[in-house]
Amino acid sequence: MRIGIGYDSHRLVEGKKLILGGIEIPFGKGLLGHSDADVLSHAIIDAIIGALGLGDIGKHFPDTDEKWKDVSSIHLLSQTVELMEQKGFNIVHVDSIIIAEKPKLQPFVEKMRETISKAGIPLTSINIKAKSNEGMGFIGKGEGMAAQAVCLLKKSN
Ligand code: MG
């Protein structure tokens, strides 16, 4: 068994689409980043890479590489799952938290789970929780969003 943890945050700006867990959420602002800045997918990717002992997301998908500009983070997640399988591991479970003051994300959680499952993580092995930051700090002020994820991997036979 291997355990991994992931964290990500991105700045919230005008004029960008908000993409979380691979789906577009109507909001009027979006997250700024080299890729689609999907904090949830990035945290899950980092948790898996961490469990594999292979560094971090920046090592595998550097933001200096034009190849990853505006790329769908679900695509990066499916590449990470492929890498995990090549290394001989399967997902046991992924638990995650999106921390965002607005909008309310609960209505979108099932669609996010379905979208993430298409990247190769079984639907029953992915849990997503959505929380606000009670008005405190950069998240509470609406300056950005963050996500955390943990995953457990087991060696495939
Ligand atoms: Mg990121």
Side-chain angles (χ1 to χ4, degrees):
M1 291 281 199
R2 296 281 193 89
I3 193 166
I5 183 171
Y7 171 83
D8 195 31
S9 60
H10 281 271
R11 187 179 292 275
L12 204 49
V13 295
E14 307 271 351
K16 289 271 289 180
K17 286 181 186 171
L18 178 59
I19 310 288
L20 291 170
I23 67 166
E24 187 179 340
I25 291 164
F27 187 44
K29 286 182 179 179
L31 296 169
L32 186 64
H34 185 69
S35 64
D36 61 5
D38 180 342
V39 281
L40 176 60
S41 297
H42 292 182
I44 294 170
I45 289 168
D46 246 354
I48 295 170
I49 291 173
L52 293 171
L54 293 175
D56 62 23
I57 188 170
K59 185 173 161 185
H60 295 265
F61 310 106
D63 64 7
T64 48
D65 191 336
E66 280 302 301
K67 192 162 80 172
W68 310 123
K69 179 143 174 52
D70 297 324
V71 75
S72 161
S73 297
I74 288 293
H75 176 65
L76 303 183
L77 180 58
S78 76
Q79 290 214 341
T80 305
V81 170
E82 254 177 55
L83 173 68
M84 175 194 76
E85 287 166 353
Q86 282 166 15
K87 296 290 175 187
F89 285 91
N90 289 328
I91 298 265
V92 177
H93 199 71
V94 172
D95 192 14
S96 63
I97 311 168
I98 307 168
I99 311 144
E101 204 61 26
K102 280 181 193 164
K104 286 271 180 232
L105 295 172
Q106 199 54 49
F108 301 99
V109 160
E110 283 314 306
K111 181 110 187 282
M112 288 180 205
R113 288 180 67 227
E114 280 168 27
T115 306
I116 288 167
S117 77
K118 288 180 189 145
I121 300 176
L123 187 64
T124 51
S125 300
I126 167 83
N127 191 69
I128 301 167
K129 303 189 288 286
K131 298 186 73 75
S132 82
N133 218 34
E134 301 282 337
M136 297 179 287
F138 76 91
I139 294 170
K141 293 190 185 90
E143 293 170 4
M145 294 181 178
Q148 299 177 344
V150 289
C151 73
L152 194 64
L153 308 184
K154 70 164 189 257
K155 198 87 182 149
S156 46
N157 297 320

